[in-house]
Amino acid sequence: VELNVPAEDIYAINNKIDYICSKDFKDVTPSKNYLKKGGKQQLNTIQTMAFLRYRTSSGDYARTDRNREFIDAMLKKLSSAGVNKMLEVYDTVAPYVETTLSMKDLISIGTSVVSFGGKEIEQTAFPYDAETIFVDGWNYFGWDEESNIEKIHQFIYE
């Protein structure tokens, strides 16, 4: 899928490529996968993993935004590809996925994706208005429970 890579994050993404190759793709030369520019582009597997996993000063919300962007692009591409392509993709990724879903459940989900037809998915991240707080050297999200319950209710039901 095509993803929009922030130019200012190329260094962080390439560092994550180094890490991914050192852990999961030891036979791959990291520099052959380095990104050279920002903007919309198709990424290979290693580049995509780095794009989805890296963290910068923009925090965890930016990382989860990128993950949602990827899922949205992937669903749109799969929904236009049809059932045969979806089964081919499933056969490719199945050995790397653990799930408690049955084959019947997976087929049902796949059918829903195809019938969805690439419509826009409304999405958000919770908690809203979170602030990073530090406790004993660890950082956490500080958030207002009552306000978030109200906003979650609005997002789901209104």
Side-chain angles (χ1 to χ4, degrees):
V1 297
E2 192 172 74
L3 298 168
N4 188 24
V5 178
E8 63 273 13
D9 292 343
I10 296 294
Y11 180 79
I13 294 169
N14 288 341
N15 278 341
K16 186 56 82 171
I17 287 171
D18 285 336
Y19 178 80
I20 288 169
C21 288
S22 74
K23 297 293 181 191
D24 301 318
F25 296 92
K26 294 180 181 178
D27 59 335
V28 173
T29 305
S31 62
K32 290 184 178 180
N33 291 281
Y34 286 169
L35 296 176
K36 308 214 180 346
K37 62 180 172 60
K40 286 201 169 217
Q41 54 195 297
Q42 289 206 352
L43 306 180
N44 66 29
T45 301
I46 293 169
Q47 293 166 337
T48 300
M49 289 172 62
F51 176 80
L52 296 175
R53 292 180 180 174
Y54 82 95
R55 294 177 187 208
T56 64
S57 60
S58 55
D60 200 51
Y61 280 121
R63 184 186 61 80
T64 61
D65 284 345
R66 290 191 305 277
N67 278 263
R68 286 192 301 279
E69 175 189 349
F70 169 75
I71 290 168
D72 188 49
M74 181 183 63
L75 288 175
K76 284 179 180 173
K77 190 161 191 166
L78 280 175
S79 68
S80 66
V83 175
N84 288 337
K85 184 64 175 176
M86 288 179 68
L87 291 172
E88 182 184 320
V89 170
Y90 173 79
D91 286 341
T92 302
V93 300
Y96 307 101
V97 175
E98 289 184 36
T99 181
T100 58
L101 296 173
S102 68
M103 180 56 81
K104 180 181 174 186
D105 292 335
L106 293 171
I107 289 170
S108 175
I109 292 168
T111 303
S112 295
V113 168
V114 170
S115 65
F116 185 70
K119 298 174 188 148
E120 288 299 315
I121 298 172
E122 190 173 340
Q123 53 186 307
T124 190
F126 296 100
Y128 284 105
D129 305 321
E131 295 180 20
T132 302
I133 58 172
F134 294 92
V135 178
D136 295 329
W138 294 89
N139 60 335
Y140 299 91
F141 282 134
W143 56 285
D144 180 86
E145 183 176 359
E146 188 176 317
S147 168
N148 273 265
I149 289 171
E150 182 179 321
K151 288 177 180 176
I152 290 169
H153 185 272
Q154 288 171 349
F155 179 77
I156 294 172
Y157 298 109
E158 295 177 11

